[in-house]
Amino acid sequence: MTVLERLRPDHAPALLDFERQNRAYFAASIPDRGDSYFTGFAERHAELLAEQAAGMHHFHVLADAGGAVLGRVNLVGVAGGSAELGYRMAEVAAGRGLATSGVRRVCALAFEEYGLTALRAETTMDNAASRAVLGRTGFVEVGAITLMGKPGLRFTRDLSEAGR
């Protein structure tokens, strides 16, 4: 069983463990966060919480019953009723449907709790798993982009549609 929780100060230790344990796994498909992310983690976590409190972003963790973070599902750049969706799952959680479940739950929160009406997302063409999650959760491809120097796709999701 997993729980989806809004990011809190007490998530910091488990979130840092999640990022450290999955650093190489994430770097295989997205740019590495760099050493400074880890050495300045406490300060960055505090900054993110302050930005969340100001309504700029909505950060979430997917955790197991013991509190270990299995994934993150975030809404960033909240403005004009929309935000950009981003997510990452731990290597041990891959292929279990957690990304799809987490994205569905955050889409519902975005509409019902945060008052958003649309979401955006981007992924590279070579990230088939991410494209599949977006497809399963109601996102529609709207155009080609270059992302991190690679061919990619941009997606949107109308949250007012049934089946959020």
Side-chain angles (χ1 to χ4, degrees):
M1 180 179 133
T2 62
V3 294
L4 178 76
E5 299 177 321
R6 190 166 169 88
L7 187 65
R8 302 184 312 254
D10 63 316
H11 286 129
L15 190 55
L16 181 56
D17 285 345
F18 164 81
E19 293 290 350
R20 282 184 175 145
Q21 291 170 6
N22 292 283
R23 185 176 183 181
Y25 175 67
F26 295 147
S29 59
I30 56 177
D32 184 64
R33 293 186 185 272
D35 292 339
S36 63
Y37 174 84
F38 297 94
T39 58
F41 185 84
E43 295 82 11
R44 182 68 182 134
H45 190 70
E47 289 171 7
L48 293 178
L49 289 168
E51 291 171 358
Q52 177 172 262
M56 299 167 59
H57 315 292
H58 301 287
F59 302 110
H60 308 87
V61 296
L62 275 169
D64 67 15
V69 174
L70 298 174
R72 303 177 77 163
V73 184
N74 300 322
L75 301 172
V76 299
V78 175
S82 71
E84 183 162 340
L85 172 79
Y87 49 91
R88 57 175 53 198
M89 298 296 133
E91 186 172 15
V92 299
R96 295 176 26 197
L98 293 179
T100 299
S101 171
V103 167
R104 282 187 179 132
R105 290 156 68 186
V106 167
C107 284
L109 282 172
F111 184 76
E112 296 164 8
E113 300 291 324
Y114 308 143
L116 301 178
T117 57
L119 297 178
R120 305 172 307 281
E122 298 175 343
T123 190
T124 55
M125 292 292 293
D126 62 358
N127 193 337
S130 187
R131 289 194 334 268
V133 167
L134 293 171
R136 284 191 295 268
T137 57
F139 282 79
V140 176
E141 181 185 327
V142 293
I145 58 169
T146 300
L147 191 61
M148 301 170 295
K150 298 179 179 180
L153 295 170
R154 179 173 286 128
F155 294 81
T156 62
R157 170 78 162 86
D158 179 354
L159 296 175
S160 62
E161 297 172 358
R164 271 179 292 290

